[in-house]
Amino acid sequence: MNGILKKLLTLIVLPVAIVGLVYVIVDSIMQPVEFNKQKDYRESVAVQRLKDIRTLQVAFKGVNNRFSPTVDSLIDFYNTGNMAVVMQVGSTDDSLAVAHTSAIKKANKKITSEDLYKMYQAGDKNLVFSIEHKIPVKDTLFKDRDDFNAADLKYIPFSDGELVQMESIIKQVSGVPVPLFEARMPYKLLLKGLDNQLRINLDAERRAQNRFEGLQVGSISAPNNNAGNWE
């Protein structure tokens, strides 16, 4: 009887043990695969947000000759600020228009681009000049982006409301003052909720490569043309 029971237990327990072992093996393989899949997706969202921050920073610097130290001031700049846009009227390849415009300037040496623009609006289309207009930032940047929401820029995606880490300075480079900024999203926050050990391993790998453990755009250490560390 004991022999029969032993055989029955073997027939039952062994397949269960094999199934359990297979599950553990498959799970150990799939965990990194799923982690990397989620990591890639989250990075794609974060990279777009950092690119948007960079776009606004460049526009902010164009107006203020420095970068913004906070995302809040960037958001305010987007919602209420203005930026200069140069409009070209006429073509420099049009010799008749060039000659006509030159004659007007020669006759009136104090004439401005604003004066020429008034003449253009009044009906003189045979003019060549450029004029700078101040227009709202929000009417210029991200106009065709249905997914853009300025208020979201301050948050690290998937982090439950953690804030983007940002700094700006003016650094002396070869005796010249150079505005610099950087914005960071650490993996510890961007990958919140994913396998923590795999995230720790990723951070360790980045440190070994002397790279920031996360995503970063710009640098306050040295000019890098506002590059992102994913580029």
Side-chain angles (χ1 to χ4, degrees):
M1 184 68 178
N2 288 338
I4 295 173
L5 183 60
K6 187 175 181 180
K7 288 182 180 179
L8 286 173
L9 288 173
T10 300
L11 290 173
I12 295 171
V13 172
L14 186 58
V16 171
I18 292 173
V19 169
L21 181 60
V22 170
Y23 174 82
V24 170
I25 293 172
V26 171
D27 186 57
S28 66
I29 294 172
M30 291 307 297
Q31 276 185 344
V33 172
E34 183 60 25
F35 176 84
N36 287 325
K37 179 181 177 181
Q38 289 297 320
K39 168 183 166 292
D40 290 345
Y41 170 66
R42 293 190 182 193
E43 281 187 329
S44 68
V45 177
V47 163
Q48 184 60 61
R49 192 160 297 180
L50 289 173
K51 285 181 177 180
D52 292 344
I53 288 173
R54 175 171 61 190
T55 297
L56 270 175
Q57 279 284 30
V58 170
F60 185 94
K61 176 176 172 286
V63 173
N64 299 284
N65 296 316
R66 61 181 176 83
F67 289 116
S68 167
T70 68
V71 183
D72 280 331
S73 59
L74 275 185
I75 295 171
D76 182 64
F77 173 69
Y78 173 79
N79 287 325
T80 65
N82 295 304
M83 58 189 296
V85 175
V86 177
M87 181 177 72
Q88 177 64 40
V89 176
S91 171
T92 54
D93 294 331
D94 187 339
S95 58
L96 291 176
V98 170
H100 175 61
T101 306
S102 297
I104 293 173
K105 290 180 177 180
K106 186 176 181 179
N108 184 359
K109 297 187 182 300
K110 293 184 179 181
I111 197 166
T112 66
S113 294
E114 287 74 16
D115 295 328
L116 291 173
Y117 187 62
K118 289 177 182 177
M119 293 173 62
Y120 177 80
Q121 288 181 311
D124 189 349
K125 306 302 182 183
N126 198 29
L127 294 168
V128 179
F129 64 95
S130 61
I131 185 169
E132 185 176 277
H133 284 297
K134 295 283 188 180
I135 60 176
V137 175
K138 62 183 178 181
D139 290 345
T140 307
L141 300 180
F142 314 118
K143 284 177 60 178
D144 301 323
R145 284 269 305 282
D146 293 334
D147 64 333
F148 180 77
N149 182 357
D152 290 340
L153 291 177
K154 66 191 299 183
Y155 301 111
I156 297 174
F158 313 103
S159 69
D160 295 329
E162 297 286 351
L163 301 179
V164 172
Q165 301 169 1
M166 194 163 79
E167 300 174 70
S168 70
I169 63 171
I170 295 180
K171 185 171 185 175
Q172 293 291 324
V173 180
S174 301
V176 178
V178 178
L180 301 172
F181 89 95
E182 67 181 42
R184 302 178 300 272
M185 295 184 182
Y187 280 139
K188 185 176 182 179
L189 302 177
L190 178 62
L191 304 182
K192 183 181 288 189
L194 300 185
D195 189 291
N196 195 50
Q197 186 57 55
L198 292 175
R199 195 271 306 162
I200 291 172
N201 295 346
L202 176 62
D203 282 353
E205 180 184 331
R206 301 279 285 205
R207 284 194 299 272
Q209 298 170 347
N210 198 29
R211 300 172 65 192
F212 174 63
E213 302 103 88
L215 297 177
Q216 177 180 317
V217 64
S219 171
I220 60 171
S221 300
N224 71 347
N225 200 29
N226 306 325
N229 66 349
W230 64 87
E231 295 174 316

